[in-house]
């Protein structure tokens, strides 16, 4: 099946957003937790958290300030801090519900079964039970002009991981944590396991193919 | 298990890159195909392709110009075009080998079992058999100062998908395509299926929890 750019542009709206949201491949499934100046907590599902580098430990994510979840953006700029929590099997349905648009100033922790918890002096809420929880410090932001989205750059301040997913070499086995990956806008997949490879060195060139 | 930022900074190098590369959650598994001015094709594994928006259909990815794969960056700037191809079960091992650092000016298509193919007038190579192949147009780039990486912004010009993964509503079922997700630096996971949810509307607030 072949779609040209013109054909993509002319697709019916729901079909287009389903197609274009699933064509980038699997996406990370995270809940981002924040708190407002007034003390109202917020937690929202994001599928764009990306590794930018290990030294300093840096993650980025994309938000669209003109639509939901604008609370996340406002709270991050105000407080300078937020949390990233992996979505796992037991909380998928509640995590997905955080994408609903409420008019009222409510916390998603009050309208779902998600529970907040707090570690050390971090004022932003973590999601209880999540096998990977991170306290993030806001570093900088980039406005992506061609598409009118914001790229948030942040560093890990504290990392909390469940023992049973941590290997001796530092690898976090997400399958052991029943961590979800997002496919498109509304589908969540959980892998049973994975295949690890070695660090790749060049082949001798006379053994090509 | 709790790691503070100081503890992360002081981890042994391999342990640190394993830990920080796996803590963002599952990542997309893509091969990016390019061609040089001299006509040498290049294909390299990337795990940072992210959806930025559907209108225009925009994807971003991160590269580190000071290390491998610098050929990808040079070729994209020269030609303005590249391809994104999903990694699937049959090609995982060869796809991962494209991360090896060759000193010679060789094409990864010559040293692996990956095969190039061409669609319409796109000069960049696609990866044969991949269930999702996209011809991308380079739009703009952002230098992320705090971390010295480049964020490449691109738009979909042509999209090629296998019929058997395309649902009527535009959703691409990546599980049906045996598409891989990347966990950390070197682990590939394939999900058997997924759970889809409806578009989320607010609950009535008197039914909270």
């Amino acid at each position: 099946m072949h779609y040209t750019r013109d054909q993509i542009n002319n697709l019916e709206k729901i079909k287009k957003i389903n197609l274009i949201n699933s064509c980038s491949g699997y996406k990370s499934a995270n809940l981002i937790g924040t708190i407002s100046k007034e003390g109202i907590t917020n937690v929202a599902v994001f599928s764009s958290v990306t590794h930018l580098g290990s030294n300093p430990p840096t993650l980025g994510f994309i938000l669209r300030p003109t639509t939901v979840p604008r609370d996340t953006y406002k709270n991050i700029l105000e407080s300078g801090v937020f949390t990233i929590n992996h979505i796992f099997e037991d909380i998928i349905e509640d995590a997905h519900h955080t994408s609903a648009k409420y008019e009222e100033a409510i916390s998603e922790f009050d309208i779902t079964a998600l529970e907040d918890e707090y570690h050390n002096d971090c004022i932003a809420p973590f999601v209880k039970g999540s096998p990977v929880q991170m306290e993030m410090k806001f570093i900088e932001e980039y406005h992506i002009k061609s598409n009118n989205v914001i790229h948030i750059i942040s560093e890990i301040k504290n990392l909390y991981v469940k023992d049973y997913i941590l290997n001796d070499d530092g690898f976090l086995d997400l399958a052991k944590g029943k961590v979800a990956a997002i496919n498109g806008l509304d589908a969540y997949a959980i892998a049973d396991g994975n295949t690890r490879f070695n660090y790749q060195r060049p082949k001798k060139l006379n053994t090509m193919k």
Side-chain angles (χ1 to χ4, degrees), chain A:
Chain A
M1 187 75 197
H2 173 205
Y3 294 96
T4 65
R5 173 60 176 272
D6 283 343
Q7 287 167 333
I8 293 170
N9 289 347
N10 292 326
L11 285 174
E12 179 271 320
K13 187 185 170 196
I14 299 295
K15 194 163 181 175
K16 175 158 62 179
I17 65 174
N18 276 325
L19 183 68
I20 304 304
N21 274 279
S22 41
C23 77
S24 60
Y26 284 109
K27 302 183 277 193
S28 51
N30 296 116
L31 286 167
I32 291 188
T34 58
I35 190 163
S36 72
K37 274 190 305 199
E38 296 75 23
I40 298 175
T41 56
N42 181 282
V43 62
V45 59
F46 280 83
S47 62
S48 58
V49 172
T50 308
H51 172 85
L52 299 184
S54 298
N55 196 15
T58 306
L59 304 178
F61 74 96
I62 300 294
L63 51 74
R64 194 176 303 274
T66 50
T67 64
V68 167
R70 50 188 179 266
D71 288 340
T72 301
Y73 183 50
K74 181 176 73 68
N75 293 349
I76 289 173
L77 294 187
E78 279 174 9
S79 68
V81 62
F82 61 100
T83 71
I84 298 177
N85 309 269
H86 287 203
I87 296 172
F88 63 110
E89 193 163 47
D90 295 351
I91 65 166
I92 289 177
E93 194 162 354
D94 284 298
H96 187 61
H97 185 69
T98 65
S99 62
K101 292 166 189 158
Y102 283 86
E103 297 297 324
E104 301 84 357
I106 45 90
S107 170
E108 291 77 10
F109 288 113
D110 291 330
I111 47 157
T112 66
L114 298 172
E115 290 183 61
D116 54 345
E117 69 175 354
Y118 296 87
H119 297 314
N120 299 309
D121 61 352
C122 177
I123 59 170
F126 294 90
V127 177
K128 194 169 177 175
S130 180
V132 180
Q133 302 172 322
M134 291 176 275
E135 177 185 346
M136 306 301 298
K137 180 185 178 185
F138 171 76
I139 300 294
E140 53 176 343
E141 62 178 311
Y142 292 87
H143 176 223
I144 296 174
K145 294 185 196 73
S146 59
N147 202 50
N148 198 25
V149 294
I150 303 281
H151 190 200
I152 300 284
I153 314 299
S154 59
E155 290 181 9
I156 301 172
K157 280 190 71 179
N158 283 285
L159 169 62
Y160 304 88
V161 299
K162 300 281 190 202
D163 290 345
Y164 55 86
I165 71 166
L166 177 62
N167 286 17
D168 289 342
D169 64 355
F171 175 72
L172 299 178
D173 191 325
L174 302 176
K176 283 189 186 154
K178 302 283 181 199
V179 169
I182 293 184
N183 178 177
L185 279 172
D186 53 14
Y188 293 76
I190 292 180
D192 288 330
N194 57 64
T195 307
R196 287 190 77 182
F197 294 96
N198 294 326
Y199 179 82
Q200 296 293 298
R201 293 193 164 74
K203 301 177 189 177
K204 292 214 177 73
L205 286 183
N206 58 6
T207 63
M208 280 169 27
K209 283 222 175 175

